């Protein structure tokens, strides 16, 4: 393995390539003033591109870390199958990591309302879906919930439930890799860290490392507003089901709607940062927060030793899995017209 040249060889080449500890830093890219209305105020906003991980999404980090730690503890010895409650990035990242550690089969509880496209994605990656009718008001302790069923199945000696909502190796991955990268890439001059909230692993792990370096660093957590759809992120009600104590790691909370999330994701993508709806949500939450601080006349409190306000937000994945959702949330005027549309042989409308 020649890490400095990004070459991976030998029988464990793919395992080495998937190990986040062997990868070069993920890019930190500053947004132009067209996406940063606070440029004149000395604010710099940088996107941490987690979408450039080998599996194209942020879950590659906790998935690898959770499986690696289980293997190191000898907890995989009799395990032949994985079980998780997830219909997206987590289970696909887990299935791939698990194969590298000798666990070939991954099963996943998926909600009855799962989209056909997502189901196709699971099948593409060789994951075995188990459709579950979720209870009306979600609770992890309801025996009918997928989270509960996965935890129960995981008690079998041949099955493992990594349990992303309570496994410390989920935030631990970000404490180990994401936090140190951001601190190093910003030369310790970071003014504010802002992240979306799903399992809350990204925010907790990254903030734990960054606050160890600078206990006064403000951290903003972004959730989706009630009744808004942004896949991967949670509303406050759903966050109450997460066992991690995420509230003790955030200084401010912002709530963001679907429209802003999808619109900003599309705007970043059109400039060359190929990021999905939760990236747009994190940016929208950051801009919302900066506007509040500015309105209160407190921007100067965020300036670093160079007189700048340096903000970082992670971008969890790319836009392609969600392409058909953008026209539902972004105004039609944002999309170019299709000329001679009536000639189309396969018009979905
Ligand atoms: C697309 C996407 N964005 C954001 C998140 C949230 O990250 P975390 O679970 O670390 O809070 C997830 C997590 O599943 C995700 O899949």
């Amino acid at each position: 393995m020649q890490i400095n040249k990004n070459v991976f060889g030998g029988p464990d080449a793919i395992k080495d390539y998937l190990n986040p500890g062997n990868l070069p830093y993920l890019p930190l890219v500053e947004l132009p003033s067209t996406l940063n209305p606070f440029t004149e105020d000395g604010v710099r906003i940088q996107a941490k591109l987690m979408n450039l991980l080998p599996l194209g999404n942020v879950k590659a980090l906790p998935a690898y870390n959770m499986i690696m730690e289980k293997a190191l503890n000898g907890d995989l010895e009799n395990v032949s199958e994985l079980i998780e409650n997830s219909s997206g990035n987590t289970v696909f990242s887990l299935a791939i990591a698990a194969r590298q550690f000798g666990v070939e089969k991954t099963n996943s509880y998926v909600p009855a309302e799962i989209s056909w496209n997502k189901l196709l994605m699971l099948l593409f990656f060789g994951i075995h879906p188990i459709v579950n009718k979720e209870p009306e008001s979600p609770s992890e302790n309801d025996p009918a919930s997928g989270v509960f069923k996965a935890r129960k199945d995981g008690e079998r000696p041949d099955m493992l439930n990594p349990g992303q909502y309570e496994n410390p190796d989920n935030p631990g991955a970000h404490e180990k890799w994401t936090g140190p990268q951001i601190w190093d890439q910003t030369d310790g001059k970071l003014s504010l860290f802002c992240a979306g909230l799903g399992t809350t692993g990204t925010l907790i792990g990254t903030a734990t490392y960054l606050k160890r370096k600078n206990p006064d660093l403000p951290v903003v957590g972004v959730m989706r507003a009630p009744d808004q759809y942004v896949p991967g992120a949670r509303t406050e009600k759903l966050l109450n089901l997460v066992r991690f104590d995420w509230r003790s790691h955030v200084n401010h909370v912002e709530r963001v709607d679907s429209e802003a999330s999808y619109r900003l994701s599309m705007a970043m993508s059109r400039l060359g940062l190929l990021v999905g709806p939760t990236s747009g949500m994190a940016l929208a939450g950051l801009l919302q927060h900066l506007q509040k601080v500015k309105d209160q006349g407190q921007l100067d409190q965020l300036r670093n030793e160079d007189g700048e306000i340096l903000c970082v937000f992670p971008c969890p994945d790319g836009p392609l899995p969600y392409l058909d959702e953008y026209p539902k949330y972004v105004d039609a005027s944002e999309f170019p017209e299709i000329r001679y549309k009536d000639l189309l042989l396969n018009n979905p409308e």
Side-chain angles (χ1 to χ4, degrees):
M1 188 170 43
Q2 291 178 284
I3 293 180
N4 55 347
K5 291 191 184 175
N6 224 358
V7 175
F8 301 87
D12 284 333
I14 296 180
K15 191 174 180 180
D16 291 338
Y17 157 72
L18 293 174
N19 184 340
N22 293 336
L23 296 174
Y25 281 10
L26 295 165
L28 192 61
V29 183
E30 181 164 2
L31 299 187
S33 56
T34 45
L35 285 174
N36 174 5
F38 305 99
T39 308
E40 301 277 293
D41 300 297
V43 174
R44 298 176 63 194
I45 299 177
Q46 298 185 327
K48 176 74 174 162
L49 299 179
M50 313 302 286
N51 57 311
L52 295 183
L53 279 159
L55 303 183
N57 80 85
V58 71
K59 289 292 162 182
L61 296 183
Y64 196 95
N65 199 41
M66 289 192 286
I67 301 295
M68 179 177 70
E69 291 297 331
K70 293 282 182 205
L72 289 173
N73 287 337
D75 293 340
L76 288 187
E77 266 159 32
N78 300 316
V79 170
S80 56
E81 294 182 34
L82 225 65
I83 178 82
E84 187 63 291
N85 179 71
S86 158
S87 52
N89 288 333
T90 297
V91 74
F92 123 68
S93 302
L94 275 172
I96 289 171
R99 277 183 202 124
Q100 292 301 328
F101 286 87
V103 181
E104 294 298 328
K105 185 172 176 187
T106 292
N107 311 278
S108 177
Y109 283 105
V110 301
E113 59 271 23
I114 187 173
S115 74
W116 189 247
N117 260 354
K118 269 196 165 171
L119 212 48
L120 279 182
M121 190 189 89
L122 296 184
L123 299 179
F124 175 83
F125 285 110
I127 294 159
H128 299 249
I130 309 166
V131 181
N132 187 47
K133 192 166 161 24
E134 288 290 326
E136 288 283 305
S137 37
S139 158
E140 54 167 323
N141 292 322
D142 187 328
S145 74
V147 176
F148 184 94
K149 288 183 180 177
R151 201 185 298 140
K152 198 92 196 115
D153 292 350
E155 289 169 9
R156 274 174 42 183
D158 61 331
M159 272 215 175
L160 176 78
N161 171 222
Q164 60 166 338
Y165 294 101
E166 57 195 44
N167 188 331
D169 296 323
N170 168 6
H174 295 284
E175 188 178 345
K176 207 185 283 183
W177 296 309
T178 315
Q181 285 190 18
I182 292 174
W183 185 256
D184 198 20
Q185 286 173 309
T186 56
D187 294 321
K189 294 177 183 172
L190 187 63
S191 306
L192 187 148
F193 176 69
C194 175
L197 297 165
T199 66
T200 71
T202 306
L203 185 135
I204 292 180
T206 311
T208 299
Y209 181 87
L210 294 175
K211 280 186 184 264
R212 200 179 300 136
K213 292 289 186 183
N214 173 10
D216 298 327
L217 182 80
V219 171
V220 180
V222 186
M223 54 178 73
R224 53 181 165 104
D227 301 326
Q228 297 294 302
Y229 175 78
V230 188
R234 295 190 149 219
T235 58
E236 184 155 27
K237 198 169 157 193
L238 290 173
L239 279 165
N240 288 336
L241 302 177
V242 174
R243 287 189 179 182
F244 297 126
D245 180 20
W246 59 273
R247 285 183 198 276
S248 68
H249 296 267
V250 301
N251 302 91
H252 308 277
V253 164
E254 294 293 338
R255 293 166 181 78
V256 168
D257 61 25
S258 310
E259 190 273 337
S261 306
Y262 280 82
R263 180 171 40 79
L264 287 176
S265 145
M266 200 165 85
M268 285 189 277
S269 296
R270 285 180 176 187
L271 289 177
L273 303 177
L274 300 189
V275 299
T278 52
S279 307
M281 186 189 79
L283 175 59
L286 173 59
L287 297 179
Q288 222 166 272
H289 178 71
L290 287 169
Q291 189 61 54
K292 285 182 192 164
V293 178
K294 185 174 176 176
D295 290 347
Q296 289 160 359
Q298 291 174 350
L299 271 184
D300 284 342
Q301 292 178 12
L302 292 174
R303 294 196 194 278
N304 61 20
E305 63 199 69
D306 297 338
E308 290 175 338
I309 298 170
L310 185 55
C311 307
V312 169
F313 70 102
C315 295
D317 68 353
L320 298 185
Y322 316 99
L323 273 192
D324 57 333
E325 294 169 4
Y326 285 81
K328 290 185 205 158
Y329 302 105
V330 182
D331 194 82
S333 63
E334 296 282 341
F335 296 92
E337 182 195 352
I338 303 174
R339 296 174 70 191
Y340 303 114
K341 199 173 181 180
D342 50 329
L343 293 182
L344 282 174
L345 297 180
N346 293 307
N347 185 352
E349 286 170 10

